[in-house]
Amino acid sequence: MIGRLNHVAIAVPDLAAASKTYRETLGAKVSAPVDMPAHGVTTVFVELPNTKIELLHPLGAASPVAKFLADHPSGGMHHVCFEVDDILAARDRLTAEGARVLGDGQPRIGAHDKPVLFLHPKDFCGTLVEIEQA
Ligand code: CO
């Protein structure tokens, strides 16, 4: 059911420093930061030939990334995002298989203006999984 790896997201305590690391040390193409108030994050995308890295920094007091950074002060891998053809069909299949969808189960518009859902890490080997309708 899942398709391509759309991105790997890494929570970072310093977005400018992380952008510099990817741009200068690793020599990657790095976007400008984009605030996403609905998701409580500021994101930077690193474009790689076969996928993307999403650098995440908390935005606002209720950011879901703030607690993650409190537990991982140097930053760390936050989630992986897989593409699906039909997000509602994917959600229904996943819930029928016993997986838990976070939130109210309704897709939200994610960082690429496409519908996304997040799946409970305990159901996926301890990893937060995002699915995005490609
Ligand atoms: Co993501």
Side-chain angles (χ1 to χ4, degrees):
M1 177 187 70
I2 58 169
R4 284 165 33 93
L5 174 67
N6 185 276
H7 60 270
V8 174
I10 299 175
V12 300
D14 182 334
L15 205 48
S19 297
K20 184 168 182 268
T21 296
Y22 272 87
R23 184 183 297 111
E24 296 182 15
T25 309
L26 293 170
K29 187 176 169 203
V30 176
S31 79
V34 177
D35 289 343
M36 305 198 61
H39 294 266
V41 292
T42 302
T43 60
V44 163
F45 273 94
V46 179
E47 276 186 44
L48 304 179
N50 60 342
T51 189
K52 296 182 284 277
I53 302 292
E54 180 184 64
L55 302 175
L56 292 176
H57 188 73
L59 176 67
S63 174
V65 179
K67 184 185 181 311
F68 183 92
L69 280 176
D71 294 340
H72 306 86
S74 305
M77 204 200 81
H78 186 265
H79 65 267
V80 294
C81 177
F82 301 121
E83 295 180 359
V84 296
D85 290 332
D86 179 333
I87 199 159
L88 294 177
R91 176 197 64 191
D92 293 346
R93 174 184 162 147
L94 287 159
T95 52
E97 293 286 337
R100 287 166 284 182
V101 175
L102 301 186
D104 64 4
Q106 295 307 312
R108 292 197 301 162
I109 297 304
H112 314 107
D113 294 325
K114 302 210 170 133
V116 301
L117 282 170
F118 285 89
L119 310 175
H120 200 297
K122 288 199 172 136
D123 297 333
F124 295 96
C125 315
T127 304
L128 178 62
V129 173
E130 178 180 21
I131 55 173
E132 176 178 295
Q133 184 168 294

